[in-house]
PDB file of all heavy atoms in Angstrom:
ATOM      1  N   LEU A  87      52.433 214.688 145.091  1.00 65.00           N
ATOM      2  CA  LEU A  87      51.006 214.398 145.239  1.00 65.00           C
ATOM      3  C   LEU A  87      50.784 212.897 145.403  1.00 65.00           C
ATOM      4  O   LEU A  87      49.800 212.341 144.928  1.00 65.00           O
ATOM      5  CB  LEU A  87      50.236 214.912 144.016  1.00 65.00           C
ATOM      6  CG  LEU A  87      50.281 216.411 143.762  1.00 65.00           C
ATOM      7  CD1 LEU A  87      49.597 216.751 142.447  1.00 65.00           C
ATOM      8  CD2 LEU A  87      49.608 217.171 144.910  1.00 65.00           C
ATOM      9  N   MET A  88      51.715 212.242 146.083  1.00 68.00           N
ATOM     10  CA  MET A  88      51.650 210.789 146.230  1.00 68.00           C
ATOM     11  C   MET A  88      50.355 210.288 146.848  1.00 68.00           C
ATOM     12  O   MET A  88      49.847 209.236 146.454  1.00 68.00           O
ATOM     13  CB  MET A  88      52.858 210.285 147.015  1.00 68.00           C
ATOM     14  CG  MET A  88      54.116 210.196 146.173  1.00 68.00           C
ATOM     15  SD  MET A  88      55.562 209.661 147.111  1.00 68.00           S
ATOM     16  CE  MET A  88      55.970 211.157 148.006  1.00 68.00           C
ATOM     17  N   PRO A  89      49.756 211.000 147.815  1.00 72.00           N
ATOM     18  CA  PRO A  89      48.501 210.495 148.393  1.00 72.00           C
ATOM     19  C   PRO A  89      47.367 210.333 147.385  1.00 72.00           C
ATOM     20  O   PRO A  89      46.460 209.537 147.597  1.00 72.00           O
ATOM     21  CB  PRO A  89      48.161 211.554 149.447  1.00 72.00           C
ATOM     22  CG  PRO A  89      49.479 212.111 149.849  1.00 72.00           C
ATOM     23  CD  PRO A  89      50.284 212.141 148.583  1.00 72.00           C
ATOM     24  N   ILE A  90      47.395 211.101 146.282  1.00 71.00           N
ATOM     25  CA  ILE A  90      46.327 210.956 145.297  1.00 71.00           C
ATOM     26  C   ILE A  90      46.819 210.288 144.017  1.00 71.00           C
ATOM     27  O   ILE A  90      46.111 210.293 143.006  1.00 71.00           O
ATOM     28  CB  ILE A  90      45.666 212.313 144.965  1.00 71.00           C
ATOM     29  CG1 ILE A  90      46.685 213.254 144.305  1.00 71.00           C
ATOM     30  CG2 ILE A  90      45.019 212.927 146.186  1.00 71.00           C
ATOM     31  CD1 ILE A  90      46.027 214.483 143.692  1.00 71.00           C
ATOM     32  N   MET A  91      48.028 209.698 144.064  1.00 73.00           N
ATOM     33  CA  MET A  91      48.583 209.055 142.867  1.00 73.00           C
ATOM     34  C   MET A  91      47.679 207.916 142.402  1.00 73.00           C
ATOM     35  O   MET A  91      47.319 207.837 141.227  1.00 73.00           O
ATOM     36  CB  MET A  91      49.998 208.533 143.145  1.00 73.00           C
ATOM     37  CG  MET A  91      50.652 207.838 141.958  1.00 73.00           C
ATOM     38  SD  MET A  91      52.412 207.502 142.256  1.00 73.00           S
ATOM     39  CE  MET A  91      52.315 206.458 143.726  1.00 73.00           C
ATOM     40  N   PHE A  92      47.304 207.020 143.319  1.00 76.00           N
ATOM     41  CA  PHE A  92      46.435 205.911 142.936  1.00 76.00           C
ATOM     42  C   PHE A  92      45.031 206.385 142.574  1.00 76.00           C
ATOM     43  O   PHE A  92      44.492 205.978 141.540  1.00 76.00           O
ATOM     44  CB  PHE A  92      46.369 204.869 144.057  1.00 76.00           C
ATOM     45  CG  PHE A  92      45.409 203.758 143.766  1.00 76.00           C
ATOM     46  CD1 PHE A  92      45.739 202.761 142.855  1.00 76.00           C
ATOM     47  CD2 PHE A  92      44.168 203.712 144.392  1.00 76.00           C
ATOM     48  CE1 PHE A  92      44.844 201.732 142.572  1.00 76.00           C
ATOM     49  CE2 PHE A  92      43.274 202.702 144.112  1.00 76.00           C
ATOM     50  CZ  PHE A  92      43.608 201.694 143.201  1.00 76.00           C
ATOM     51  N   PRO A  93      44.385 207.254 143.388  1.00 77.00           N
ATOM     52  CA  PRO A  93      43.063 207.755 142.984  1.00 77.00           C
ATOM     53  C   PRO A  93      43.079 208.459 141.636  1.00 77.00           C
ATOM     54  O   PRO A  93      42.125 208.354 140.863  1.00 77.00           O
ATOM     55  CB  PRO A  93      42.698 208.735 144.108  1.00 77.00           C
ATOM     56  CG  PRO A  93      43.471 208.265 145.282  1.00 77.00           C
ATOM     57  CD  PRO A  93      44.764 207.736 144.728  1.00 77.00           C
ATOM     58  N   LEU A  94      44.179 209.152 141.333  1.00 75.00           N
ATOM     59  CA  LEU A  94      44.272 209.877 140.070  1.00 75.00           C
ATOM     60  C   LEU A  94      44.304 208.921 138.888  1.00 75.00           C
ATOM     61  O   LEU A  94      43.579 209.102 137.904  1.00 75.00           O
ATOM     62  CB  LEU A  94      45.528 210.754 140.076  1.00 75.00           C
ATOM     63  CG  LEU A  94      45.611 211.879 139.049  1.00 75.00           C
ATOM     64  CD1 LEU A  94      44.505 212.897 139.266  1.00 75.00           C
ATOM     65  CD2 LEU A  94      46.978 212.564 139.139  1.00 75.00           C
ATOM     66  N   THR A  95      45.142 207.887 138.979  1.00 72.00           N
ATOM     67  CA  THR A  95      45.261 206.937 137.876  1.00 72.00           C
ATOM     68  C   THR A  95      44.046 206.019 137.790  1.00 72.00           C
ATOM     69  O   THR A  95      43.557 205.722 136.698  1.00 72.00           O
ATOM     70  CB  THR A  95      46.540 206.093 138.014  1.00 72.00           C
ATOM     71  OG1 THR A  95      46.588 205.512 139.326  1.00 72.00           O
ATOM     72  CG2 THR A  95      47.774 206.953 137.815  1.00 72.00           C
ATOM     73  N   ALA A  96      43.539 205.573 138.940  1.00 74.00           N
ATOM     74  CA  ALA A  96      42.362 204.702 138.928  1.00 74.00           C
ATOM     75  C   ALA A  96      41.125 205.480 138.503  1.00 74.00           C
ATOM     76  O   ALA A  96      40.290 204.982 137.736  1.00 74.00           O
ATOM     77  CB  ALA A  96      42.148 204.098 140.315  1.00 74.00           C
ATOM     78  N   GLY A  97      41.006 206.714 138.973  1.00 75.00           N
ATOM     79  CA  GLY A  97      39.852 207.528 138.628  1.00 75.00           C
ATOM     80  C   GLY A  97      39.820 207.944 137.181  1.00 75.00           C
ATOM     81  O   GLY A  97      38.764 208.305 136.650  1.00 75.00           O
ATOM     82  N   PHE A  98      40.972 207.879 136.505  1.00 72.00           N
ATOM     83  CA  PHE A  98      41.031 208.206 135.085  1.00 72.00           C
ATOM     84  C   PHE A  98      40.083 207.311 134.294  1.00 72.00           C
ATOM     85  O   PHE A  98      39.565 207.707 133.245  1.00 72.00           O
ATOM     86  CB  PHE A  98      42.468 208.064 134.585  1.00 72.00           C
ATOM     87  CG  PHE A  98      42.685 208.548 133.181  1.00 72.00           C
ATOM     88  CD1 PHE A  98      42.523 209.880 132.861  1.00 72.00           C
ATOM     89  CD2 PHE A  98      43.056 207.667 132.176  1.00 72.00           C
ATOM     90  CE1 PHE A  98      42.732 210.342 131.567  1.00 72.00           C
ATOM     91  CE2 PHE A  98      43.258 208.114 130.880  1.00 72.00           C
ATOM     92  CZ  PHE A  98      43.098 209.451 130.580  1.00 72.00           C
ATOM     93  N   ALA A  99      39.833 206.096 134.821  1.00 76.00           N
ATOM     94  CA  ALA A  99      38.918 205.160 134.157  1.00 76.00           C
ATOM     95  C   ALA A  99      37.488 205.691 134.139  1.00 76.00           C
ATOM     96  O   ALA A  99      36.680 205.275 133.308  1.00 76.00           O
ATOM     97  CB  ALA A  99      38.956 203.806 134.848  1.00 76.00           C
ATOM     98  N   LEU A 100      37.164 206.621 135.054  1.00 81.00           N
ATOM     99  CA  LEU A 100      35.821 207.202 135.064  1.00 81.00           C
ATOM    100  C   LEU A 100      35.538 207.960 133.774  1.00 81.00           C
ATOM    101  O   LEU A 100      34.384 208.138 133.386  1.00 81.00           O
ATOM    102  CB  LEU A 100      35.656 208.143 136.262  1.00 81.00           C
ATOM    103  CG  LEU A 100      35.758 207.527 137.658  1.00 81.00           C
ATOM    104  CD1 LEU A 100      35.635 208.614 138.719  1.00 81.00           C
ATOM    105  CD2 LEU A 100      34.688 206.458 137.878  1.00 81.00           C
ATOM    106  N   LEU A 101      36.602 208.413 133.116  1.00 81.00           N
ATOM    107  CA  LEU A 101      36.450 209.148 131.868  1.00 81.00           C
ATOM    108  C   LEU A 101      36.436 208.227 130.656  1.00 81.00           C
ATOM    109  O   LEU A 101      36.274 208.687 129.525  1.00 81.00           O
ATOM    110  CB  LEU A 101      37.589 210.169 131.722  1.00 81.00           C
ATOM    111  CG  LEU A 101      37.735 211.200 132.844  1.00 81.00           C
ATOM    112  CD1 LEU A 101      38.954 212.076 132.581  1.00 81.00           C
ATOM    113  CD2 LEU A 101      36.481 212.052 132.965  1.00 81.00           C
ATOM    114  N   GLY A 102      36.606 206.928 130.887  1.00 80.00           N
ATOM    115  CA  GLY A 102      36.669 205.965 129.795  1.00 80.00           C
ATOM    116  C   GLY A 102      35.510 206.020 128.818  1.00 80.00           C
ATOM    117  O   GLY A 102      35.729 206.004 127.596  1.00 80.00           O
ATOM    118  N   PRO A 103      34.249 206.086 129.300  1.00 87.00           N
ATOM    119  CA  PRO A 103      33.124 206.135 128.360  1.00 87.00           C
ATOM    120  C   PRO A 103      33.196 207.311 127.390  1.00 87.00           C
ATOM    121  O   PRO A 103      32.772 207.200 126.242  1.00 87.00           O
ATOM    122  CB  PRO A 103      31.910 206.273 129.293  1.00 87.00           C
ATOM    123  CG  PRO A 103      32.349 205.630 130.564  1.00 87.00           C
ATOM    124  CD  PRO A 103      33.802 205.992 130.694  1.00 87.00           C
ATOM    125  N   LEU A 104      33.751 208.431 127.841  1.00 84.00           N
ATOM    126  CA  LEU A 104      33.903 209.603 126.978  1.00 84.00           C
ATOM    127  C   LEU A 104      35.069 209.424 126.009  1.00 84.00           C
ATOM    128  O   LEU A 104      34.955 209.709 124.815  1.00 84.00           O
ATOM    129  CB  LEU A 104      34.121 210.852 127.832  1.00 84.00           C
ATOM    130  CG  LEU A 104      34.485 212.142 127.095  1.00 84.00           C
ATOM    131  CD1 LEU A 104      33.344 212.588 126.182  1.00 84.00           C
ATOM    132  CD2 LEU A 104      34.829 213.245 128.089  1.00 84.00           C
ATOM    133  N   LEU A 105      36.188 208.904 126.512  1.00 79.00           N
ATOM    134  CA  LEU A 105      37.385 208.788 125.697  1.00 79.00           C
ATOM    135  C   LEU A 105      37.272 207.699 124.633  1.00 79.00           C
ATOM    136  O   LEU A 105      38.067 207.663 123.690  1.00 79.00           O
ATOM    137  CB  LEU A 105      38.598 208.520 126.600  1.00 79.00           C
ATOM    138  CG  LEU A 105      38.897 209.613 127.631  1.00 79.00           C
ATOM    139  CD1 LEU A 105      40.052 209.202 128.523  1.00 79.00           C
ATOM    140  CD2 LEU A 105      39.204 210.941 126.948  1.00 79.00           C
ATOM    141  N   ALA A 106      36.287 206.818 124.783  1.00 83.00           N
ATOM    142  CA  ALA A 106      36.106 205.724 123.819  1.00 83.00           C
ATOM    143  C   ALA A 106      35.137 206.084 122.703  1.00 83.00           C
ATOM    144  O   ALA A 106      34.731 205.215 121.926  1.00 83.00           O
ATOM    145  CB  ALA A 106      35.627 204.470 124.545  1.00 83.00           C
ATOM    146  N   LEU A 107      34.783 207.343 122.573  1.00 85.00           N
ATOM    147  CA  LEU A 107      33.805 207.772 121.565  1.00 85.00           C
ATOM    148  C   LEU A 107      34.181 207.323 120.153  1.00 85.00           C
ATOM    149  O   LEU A 107      33.336 206.842 119.388  1.00 85.00           O
ATOM    150  CB  LEU A 107      33.672 209.300 121.592  1.00 85.00           C
ATOM    151  CG  LEU A 107      32.677 209.870 122.596  1.00 85.00           C
ATOM    152  CD1 LEU A 107      32.888 211.377 122.731  1.00 85.00           C
ATOM    153  CD2 LEU A 107      31.255 209.572 122.189  1.00 85.00           C
TER     154      LEU A 107
END
Side-chain angles (χ1 to χ4, degrees):
L87 298 174
M88 281 178 284
I90 64 168
M91 180 170 59
F92 176 75
L94 197 63
T95 52
F98 188 65
L100 297 177
L101 302 177
L104 172 64
L105 299 176
L107 274 167

